Amino acid sequence: MNIYVCVKHVPDSAATITVEGKTGINEKITFLLNPYDEHAVTEAARIKASSADTEVIAVCLGKAAAENTLRAAMAMGADRSILIETDTSRDSIFTARALAAAIRSDGRPWMVFTGKESIDSEGMQTQFRLAQYLSLPVATNAIKVDADSDGVTVECEREAGTIDVYRMAAPCVIGAGKGLNNPNYPTFPDIVKSRKKPIKKIGTAELTIDTPVAGMQIQELVPAVEQHSPKALTGSPADIAAQIVDILKNEAKVI
Amino acid sequence: MQPIGLLIEFKSGHIKPANFGMATAARAENRQLVALMVDAPADDDKAALEAYGVTRIVNIHTDSNQWNPAMHAAAVVAAMQENGITTLIGLTSPAGRELLPRVAAQLDAPLVMDCIEIDLDDHRVKTSQFSGKTIATIAMTGTHFIYGMRANVIAPLEAPAAAEVIDFSYTANHPSGFEVIETRTDGSGSQYLAESDIIISGGRGLKNAENFKLIFDCARHLNAAVGASRVAVDNGWVPYAMQVGQTGVKVNPKVYMAVGISGSVQHFAGMKTAKTIIAINTDANAPIMAHCDYYAVGDLFDILPALEKALASMTR
Ligand SMILES: Cc1cc2nc3c(=O)[nH]c(=O)nc-3n(C[C@H](O)[C@H](O)[C@H](O)COP(=O)(O)OP(=O)(O)OC[C@H]3O[C@@H](n4cnc5c(N)ncnc54)[C@H](O)[C@@H]3O)c2cc1C
């Protein structure tokens, strides 16, 4: 049985982002496996460990450098990878179509994992579109997954203190949330082993992807400007407290 | 008149106030605001919607009284089709994160979540990307357009109108293979962070779970929500749903107080758009101190009790 894990190659959350051209960023910074995808890979590897004849396949739409992210996913437990190569940034409508096409051409999924969102474009939608194109049920922000051969019982955290329990027939799509597990950070031997695992590279032209009518195109990217100029609050704790109350009342007008 | 669908959300049986900001953002002379309400808990919300310019209220009835995102999204799509709606606006809230992408996927329509500006005529929006480090202008193309707004970016302004109420029954056409077993609520989800005007967050400086009481005590007087840094969450002091930041909730309050929080880039990613940021930290060189509006160099264990006292005497 195949568990596909869709992963994204994203800038390190601590990296300095410099806008280049009108819509791009300087990519000479550290890129990593998207943090939520770490939970997705870890969960797929956990399920594989307790199921017979299961293979975990990481799938990524990205530029050539995304190979590093696939290596990271394989060091964390994926058995092999598919890199759908593109040389431009793609919106989630195209991305989900490409991922669906790559999965369809590779095999029949038991489960498809994604992260609940990517930390670069923060679109929060690829898993839903992927499910739609594959005609599968989907749940997101999963914090617990119990899988059997007919389906999956999944607990999803909707908001503070609210957990939804869903039953989905297999195959299905699951967006991994942070509460799902502690990522399997790889050991050195895992990394060495991952270097020998295969990556199949395909171009978007080799896949059957119908051209979407809809799209989301970045027209301009600008650095977020900071609008704060810090002023000190001084004096005794009681003085500071009084100044805070004054700010709340007279400046922010929230009380 | 172009009909604009507003996906209305409820909290404790009534419309969430953030929906009125959304109505304000959508309003224009050539548009008709249509409130789409799935299994609305109360029928006394008509006046509230009318006050913000809604002229049509569609009460969508599903055949279950349970939260079911797959069915609710399908019901919203059906109601949009029935009412000739090709533009839908909702909140980037817990329910919005479930419903808006499902609606967009079904319609194969563009969707941008967490918009800080929307232009419904040109289908152009602004949203933050790369953890709040950049602002992207995104042009959407398609036949339907779905917008997820960040709560509180537009202040609600009244514009009274009279609304007709329409009932719309949706019988599932059950989304196959997806079933809700149960929804468990432990009551701790007091106030959703992203929709709060005032947030007080605690970090490593709080030292343990018990000390968070100091923050909750202040928050209670202000009807503020309580947030946290990832360190406080990872240490198990507070639940993950309270985490503010890149891998937590992104918030946009009028006032954000960061207490015992250093102000890492990842934390900033979630709160940098707050109007007024107040930091309390023992370390004058903590990054937060250089990126806020007001800072107090001092011990939170002295300042929070003093603040609680000041707030108590004021609200009494
Ligand atoms: C991929 C990734 C995603 C992340 N996502 C998030 C996220 O979503 N949200 C998030 O918050 N972090 C996130 N982080 C973690 C982030 O990098 C920081 O580690 C974290 O924000 C630090 O939390 P803190 O400010 O509470 O702790 P610290 O950085 O340790 O700061 C504690 C502060 O408390 C002050 N202090 C100590 N005692 C007192 C006292 N008695 N009175 C007053 N002040 C005191 C100290 O001076 C210090 O400035 C992420 C990291 C990564 C790698």
Side-chain angles (χ1 to χ4, degrees):
Chain A
M1 288 190 290
N2 292 350
I3 306 179
Y4 291 91
V5 187
C6 302
V7 298
K8 190 172 182 188
H9 187 61
V10 300
D12 182 340
S13 61
T16 304
I17 302 290
T18 352
V19 176
E20 262 186 17
K22 210 168 172 248
T23 61
I25 61 160
N26 179 338
E27 293 183 358
K28 289 188 201 88
I29 50 173
T30 311
F31 275 69
L32 299 168
L33 173 60
N34 180 48
Y36 294 109
D37 306 350
E38 293 180 346
H39 298 287
V41 177
T42 301
E43 196 63 12
R46 186 190 68 77
I47 295 168
K48 174 194 154 107
S50 57
S51 326
D53 284 335
T54 300
E55 194 179 25
V56 176
I57 304 118
V59 191
C60 177
L61 171 77
K63 299 181 184 171
E67 180 169 343
N68 294 330
T69 274
L70 289 170
R71 293 275 167 222
M74 292 189 294
M76 292 178 78
D79 300 300
R80 61 180 175 92
S81 302
I82 303 171
L83 175 59
I84 313 160
E85 286 183 295
T86 169
D87 39 22
T88 53
S89 301
R90 300 290 198 161
D91 66 17
S92 59
I93 295 178
F94 184 89
T95 302
R97 276 177 157 77
L99 294 170
I103 291 171
R104 229 187 262 120
S105 74
D106 187 80
R108 188 179 145 76
W110 174 25
M111 268 172 272
V112 181
F113 280 96
T114 69
K116 76 158 173 132
E117 66 186 79
S118 63
I119 64 164
D120 54 354
S121 47
E122 303 170 16
M124 317 175 194
Q125 51 190 274
T126 302
Q127 64 275 42
F128 296 99
R129 297 190 189 276
L130 180 62
Q132 183 77 29
Y133 300 140
L134 292 170
S135 307
L136 302 180
V138 53
T140 199
N141 204 11
I143 56 165
K144 188 162 187 270
V145 174
D146 279 316
D148 51 63
S149 53
D150 325 319
V152 174
T153 302
V154 53
E155 295 191 4
C156 299
E157 185 169 31
R158 185 163 14 127
E159 63 184 307
T162 303
I163 289 169
D164 299 306
V165 186
Y166 302 126
R167 174 76 189 171
M168 294 192 289
C172 59
V173 178
I174 300 166
K178 190 185 159 198
L180 188 55
N181 50 41
N182 291 317
N184 263 341
Y185 290 117
T187 59
F188 184 67
D190 293 333
I191 294 170
V192 172
K193 248 194 284 171
S194 77
R195 291 193 190 129
K196 297 204 190 81
K197 295 182 178 175
I199 299 184
K200 177 163 91 185
K201 293 182 186 168
I202 40 181
T204 50
E206 294 161 57
L207 293 168
T208 321
I209 304 172
D210 59 334
T211 315
V213 191
M216 284 99 71
Q217 174 97 42
I218 298 181
Q219 292 192 311
E220 191 182 26
L221 200 60
V222 294
V225 278
E226 173 140 15
Q227 289 144 338
H228 304 283
S229 48
K231 289 175 272 301
L233 305 173
T234 53
S236 68
D239 295 339
I240 291 171
Q243 292 167 70
I244 294 175
V245 171
D246 183 61
I247 294 163
L248 297 176
K249 217 189 231 158
N250 299 315
E251 190 186 310
K253 299 190 169 59
V254 287
I255 45 178
Chain B
M1 294 277 259
Q2 187 201 359
I4 305 287
L6 303 175
L7 184 59
I8 302 296
E9 289 185 35
F10 306 91
K11 175 90 193 174
S12 318
H14 289 285
I15 296 181
K16 283 185 176 181
N19 288 288
F20 303 127
M22 196 168 89
T24 307
R27 217 156 50 207
E29 265 175 19
N30 57 342
R31 302 192 192 124
Q32 180 192 26
L33 300 191
V34 183
L36 300 176
M37 320 224 278
V38 183
D39 296 328
D43 34 50
D44 56 351
D45 282 324
K46 181 168 180 263
L49 289 165
E50 288 180 325
Y52 291 94
V54 170
T55 55
R56 176 181 285 196
I57 297 170
V58 181
N59 275 314
I60 304 171
H61 307 282
T62 68
D63 50 14
S64 94
N65 284 321
Q66 203 181 22
W67 160 255
N68 181 330
M71 191 207 285
H72 288 190
V76 169
V77 169
M80 285 172 69
Q81 279 158 353
E82 175 81 12
N83 287 274
I85 294 169
T86 55
T87 296
L88 179 71
I89 311 177
L91 295 169
T92 308
S93 57
R97 284 162 174 263
E98 279 283 350
L99 298 177
L100 298 171
R102 287 179 192 272
V103 169
Q106 270 194 48
L107 295 169
D108 207 9
L111 159 71
V112 180
M113 295 293 281
D114 216 21
C115 299
I116 53 177
E117 268 180 54
I118 55 174
D119 178 338
L120 300 180
D121 293 323
D122 286 348
H123 314 299
R124 219 191 339 248
V125 301
K126 287 193 177 166
T127 183
S128 64
Q129 288 193 334
F130 299 105
S131 358
K133 290 171 205 160
T134 65
I135 304 292
T137 303
I138 299 178
M140 300 154 80
T141 47
T143 54
H144 290 69
F145 301 90
I146 319 293
Y147 303 85
M149 297 232 352
R150 183 179 291 185
N152 302 341
V153 287
I154 307 255
L157 269 182
E158 296 200 3
E164 54 174 336
V165 180
I166 291 171
D167 286 295
F168 177 78
S169 293
Y170 175 78
T171 358
N173 210 351
H174 216 44
S176 62
F178 184 93
E179 216 184 302
V180 180
I181 297 185
E182 59 167 342
T183 291
R184 292 201 298 263
T185 307
D186 66 10
S188 71
S190 44
Q191 204 174 352
Y192 181 57
L193 277 174
E195 286 155 34
S196 303
D197 277 342
I198 314 175
I199 296 172
I200 312 179
S201 289
R204 193 195 304 274
L206 268 292
K207 296 195 169 68
N208 59 41
E210 292 71 53
N211 290 335
F212 259 83
K213 180 169 183 299
L214 296 169
I215 293 192
F216 279 104
D217 286 346
C218 291
R220 211 173 32 245
H221 294 297
L222 292 165
N223 196 22
V226 177
S229 73
R230 170 160 145 184
V231 168
V233 171
D234 285 355
N235 282 322
W237 303 342
V238 292
Y240 169 60
M242 281 169 58
Q243 181 176 317
V244 171
Q246 177 160 49
T247 48
V249 184
K250 296 189 182 66
V251 299
N252 187 37
K254 290 187 178 138
V255 177
Y256 188 86
M257 278 179 66
V259 182
I261 288 180
S262 62
S264 64
V265 281
Q266 293 93 351
H267 191 77
F268 260 101
M271 41 63 78
K272 67 194 294 179
T273 59
K275 207 166 220 137
T276 302
I277 299 173
I278 305 173
I280 300 173
N281 201 303
T282 41
D283 177 4
N285 296 320
I288 188 96
M289 307 300 246
H291 301 277
C292 64
D293 300 284
Y294 295 98
Y295 63 93
V297 180
D299 194 323
L300 69 93
F301 294 104
D302 298 329
I303 297 172
L304 285 182
L307 180 60
E308 202 268 328
K309 217 163 128 201
L311 291 169
S313 66
M314 183 200 67
T315 49
R316 200 176 297 130

